[in-house]
Amino acid sequence: MIAVERALEIVLQHAPQLAHEDVGLGVALGRVLASDVRSDVDQPPFDRAAMDGYAVRSYDLRDAPVTLDVVGRIPAGAAPHASGPQPRQVMEIMTGAPVPPGADAVLQIENTRSVDGGQRVELLESVVPGRNIAPRASEVRAGNVVLARGRTLDPAALAVLAAAGCARVSVGRRPRVFVLATGDELVEVSEVPGPGQIRSSNGYALGAQARLAGADVVSLGTVADDQQMLEERLTEGLRADVLLVSGGVSKGAFDLVEPALARLGVRVLFDAVTIKPGAPLVFGTAGATLVFGLPGNPISTQVTFDLFVRPALLRMQGAQTLARPRVEAELLSAVDNRSKRANHLPAALRFEGGRFVARPIRSQGSADMTAHAQANALLVLQPEQVRAEAGARVPAILLGNFLDTDGR
Ligand code: AMP
Ligand code: MG
């Protein structure tokens, strides 16, 4: 048995960085940037009006209100003017338009009153120089790095890339992940389980988790606990960048996965981690392929994926941030840990009264999918920590659904 941290270290040491590829900006969401991106233009590219109103010489407004001549109108998209307002003149200007030379502020339209059919305008307030003008290059200078390598592309990053002129971007290749569920008791979702049978759910959870981590996923379906059939399917699975196998890694008579992998030439690097849920956890490599034998209990599968597989998939794509955020949360009720392993307990977390509070979710154990689905965080109790009382502060790992839940 090795500790969680050590196991993750081993996994990451063996996770190869995949090649880069160029993709169009329109399909780059969730991909990981492979190189620093620089802007090819100043942003803004000219002194830009930040309000609809009047481009003014602020000195003219020192004794506002004052009525001045309107000598032009500048819409967004107009080429920058060669000449601007002379003393006691103003120009009407729109948000996003280039501020003309001579003008040093924009007075917003709400503080003005048009007179003489727009020939003149009454400016109701004075303005300080620079007001409502975004100077050229005040946000970004041409040539500057606007996004760093390793950034996962979210909507805000895509906007930055678009503004920087990146119609295509270099990103880490998506890992190809094959998912195989093992177990004699498993039937397909569309079937009604017979006596002793259950529907196979792990493949769906794992496939979805891998997709959310940027992988291309291929399902290898379900295989029985039969040495020959298992080896055939595993052989197929070893063509992946990452093979995920669920079930068959404990110490039972029909837990055939680890020996089968070994026979197929997989170098097993560990097969037990001091974690709950999920102690039997096999990790190995076959050439550049990573193989995870995840315990079949549905929560063990999902939690061990999040802690070990997801960081590997992100590392392979070149991501900077691999771990889920951790916070400290105050327990609303006590939790126990009799496992002597690092216990990861489902909880509903919310921010309230200046701190995170955690409501532990009553779970029947590592098969209780329904309880786990109510959680948006995992409370972590260390192996030696037997109990944490209500009111105690414990570390919590935010789960992927955290931002879409309110923890109630
Ligand atoms: P195993 O790791 O094969 O010993 O399985 C542990 C527990 O997880 C058993 O109760 C299995 O029935 C259950 N299990 C294994 N594979 C799956 C699966 N694909 N979907 C749902 N439960 C599973
Ligand atoms: Mg099994």
Side-chain angles (χ1 to χ4, degrees), residues 212 349 375-376 398-408:
L212 286 177
L349 207 69
N376 63 3
L398 306 186
L399 291 173
N401 65 351
F402 181 80
L403 295 178
D404 301 315
T405 57
D406 67 2
R408 261 161 240 281

Side-chain angles (χ1 to χ4, degrees), residues 298-384:
I299 314 313
S300 309
T301 311
Q302 292 178 44
V303 169
T304 51
F305 178 97
D306 245 356
L307 293 184
F308 303 104
V309 185
R310 181 175 180 274
L313 294 176
L314 297 180
R315 166 64 59 83
M316 292 169 90
Q317 294 166 82
Q320 199 59 252
T321 308
L322 305 181
R324 298 269 192 217
R326 278 172 194 251
V327 299
E328 206 178 53
E330 192 178 305
L331 291 177
L332 290 175
S333 57
V335 287
D336 289 309
N337 177 27
R338 291 184 207 89
S339 70
K340 297 199 163 71
R341 292 176 267 152
N343 203 346
H344 294 66
L345 300 157
L349 207 69
R350 62 178 194 270
F351 195 74
E352 192 177 275
R355 81 265 196 247
F356 284 103
V357 292
R359 177 171 55 80
I361 290 169
R362 188 192 301 275
S363 166
Q364 297 306 313
S366 45
D368 195 345
M369 285 170 259
T370 315
H372 185 72
Q374 294 169 33
N376 63 3
L378 296 173
L379 304 172
V380 185
L381 296 192
Q382 290 307 318
E384 64 282 0

Side-chain angles (χ1 to χ4, degrees), residues 181-182 185-186 198-203 246-250 255 295-298:
T182 73
E185 72 280 31
L186 304 177
I198 59 165
R199 294 193 180 101
S200 175
S201 56
N202 288 346
S246 102
V249 290
S250 337
D255 291 322
N297 260 319

